[in-house]
Amino acid sequence: MARKPIIAGNWKMNNNKAQAKELMDGILYGISQLDASKMPEVVVAPTYTALWQVYDLIKNEPKVKLAAQNVNPNPKGAYTGEVSLDMLNDFKVKYVIIGHSERRQMFAESDEFINQKALAILSEGLIPIICCGETLEQREAGVTDEHLKNQITKAFNNISASDAKKSVIAYEPIWAIGTGKSCDAKEANRTIGQIRKVIADLYNQETADNIRILYGGSVKPSTIVEQMAQPEIDGGLIGGASLIAESFIDLIKGAMTDEHAVV
Ligand code: PEP
């Protein structure tokens, strides 16, 4: 099953205008040196304030796609501080990250709200990157698989099989995010295999075989090759290591293995 891998950089609340340009220039230069036929899909998720500029820098570079870090599912109106899908469409945003543990924990976003966002994103023709992941306490209590099943089942409520197939999931154990302590690659592979089984049970095997499931949590150039060698892992959602052009390019290179290169 050839699923096109994704290397996605989540810039979080980093990079002002000048920094976003410097980082993007470095990434674009690095990409220009790579064999396009073997490249994963490269995705960058700047802050809203840098979206216009990054859009402008990549508009002639089809190898890089734009993601937003969030969206409000309502079409417009009295939602102070929020941004709509219509606004993201101005910048040809392809992906929207939703359900990130930072938003679930710091902004109290519920599974139901994440599901509303997923439905709205898909109805506008964009693609959600739906994050899920367990806390350290849940892992130690042995309830990881059950917790992920619950998060995935709720996130995909009322989503059709054809929309599910094009969606992206990011498995991000919370204890691995920003800690420098990546999940063991084989264990990440096992857990992602379980998530795929949940999708097969919710829909069918074809949907499960097509949906791309990324791993996120302290992915670094030194871990990416082993991670990408795992059959269930279709790429990475990367925070810290996506903020330096050289390291992001090394992550892209690590995802250029032959078995992950799609023909
Ligand atoms: C993330 O926030 O999605 C993430 C995986 O961060 P980091 O790579 O820094 O652990």
Side-chain angles (χ1 to χ4, degrees):
M1 167 53 50
R3 294 183 291 264
K4 177 129 175 134
I6 298 179
I7 291 294
N10 174 12
W11 294 3
K12 309 194 186 187
M13 198 173 74
N14 292 292
N15 294 329
N16 64 18
K17 188 176 160 195
Q19 291 160 338
K21 177 166 168 31
E22 190 184 337
L23 176 55
M24 220 40 248
D25 284 345
I27 293 171
L28 288 171
Y29 172 75
I31 282 174
S32 70
Q33 307 298 302
L34 301 178
D35 177 351
S37 69
K38 290 192 172 172
M39 268 182 53
E41 191 171 350
V42 175
V43 177
V44 290
T47 57
Y48 286 142
T49 52
L51 268 183
W52 70 268
Q53 184 178 35
V54 175
Y55 160 72
D56 199 51
L57 289 167
I58 67 173
K59 66 177 184 238
N60 297 318
E61 177 47 272
K63 285 174 274 181
V64 185
K65 304 287 187 233
L66 205 49
Q69 295 178 22
N70 189 22
V71 75
N72 187 286
N74 294 292
K76 63 174 173 174
Y79 301 98
T80 302
E82 294 291 270
V83 164
S84 71
L85 281 152
D86 183 46
M87 294 163 189
L88 297 184
N89 268 330
D90 281 344
F91 304 106
K92 308 263 183 300
V93 167
K94 178 172 180 186
Y95 295 98
V96 186
I97 299 171
I98 56 171
H100 194 284
S101 58
E102 287 156 14
R103 294 213 62 87
R104 290 181 191 259
Q105 292 184 331
M106 295 180 214
F107 303 98
E109 293 197 2
S110 66
D111 287 311
E112 290 68 30
F113 191 42
I114 291 158
N115 173 244
Q116 274 178 40
K117 292 189 192 196
L119 287 164
I121 291 164
L122 287 159
S123 76
E124 286 294 325
L126 283 75
I127 300 173
I129 299 178
I130 303 171
C131 303
C132 60
E134 80 285 1
T135 61
L136 188 56
E137 293 68 37
Q138 286 168 323
R139 177 154 283 271
E140 287 174 350
V143 297
T144 296
D145 294 359
E146 192 187 317
H147 170 70
L148 295 173
K149 181 177 177 181
N150 184 43
Q151 282 190 326
I152 292 296
T153 304
K154 288 180 172 161
F156 280 85
N157 189 31
N158 288 325
I159 293 179
S160 68
S162 61
D163 276 347
K165 191 158 96 173
K166 47 187 175 211
S167 300
V168 176
I169 296 172
Y171 166 57
E172 300 206 306
I174 298 171
W175 47 272
I177 296 180
T179 59
K181 192 168 166 279
S182 207
C183 179
D184 171 74
K186 292 204 165 43
E187 175 54 18
N189 186 65
R190 185 204 68 79
T191 311
I192 289 177
Q194 287 302 114
I195 296 171
R196 211 178 287 287
K197 243 169 126 278
V198 173
I199 295 293
D201 290 345
L202 288 174
Y203 297 97
N204 49 50
Q205 195 56 46
E206 199 222 334
T207 307
D209 287 342
N210 276 281
I211 195 167
R212 288 178 292 176
I213 311 182
L214 316 182
Y215 167 76
S218 296
V219 175
K220 297 180 280 297
S222 59
T223 64
I224 189 72
V225 173
E226 191 189 0
Q227 285 157 341
M228 291 307 299
Q230 308 301 317
E232 297 289 355
I233 300 182
D234 300 321
L237 178 58
I238 301 126
S242 74
L243 294 172
I244 298 165
E246 295 71 29
S247 114
F248 193 57
I249 293 297
D250 283 345
L251 293 168
I252 295 169
K253 286 183 186 160
M256 287 176 76
T257 55
D258 279 345
E259 63 270 40
H260 283 89
V262 164
V263 270

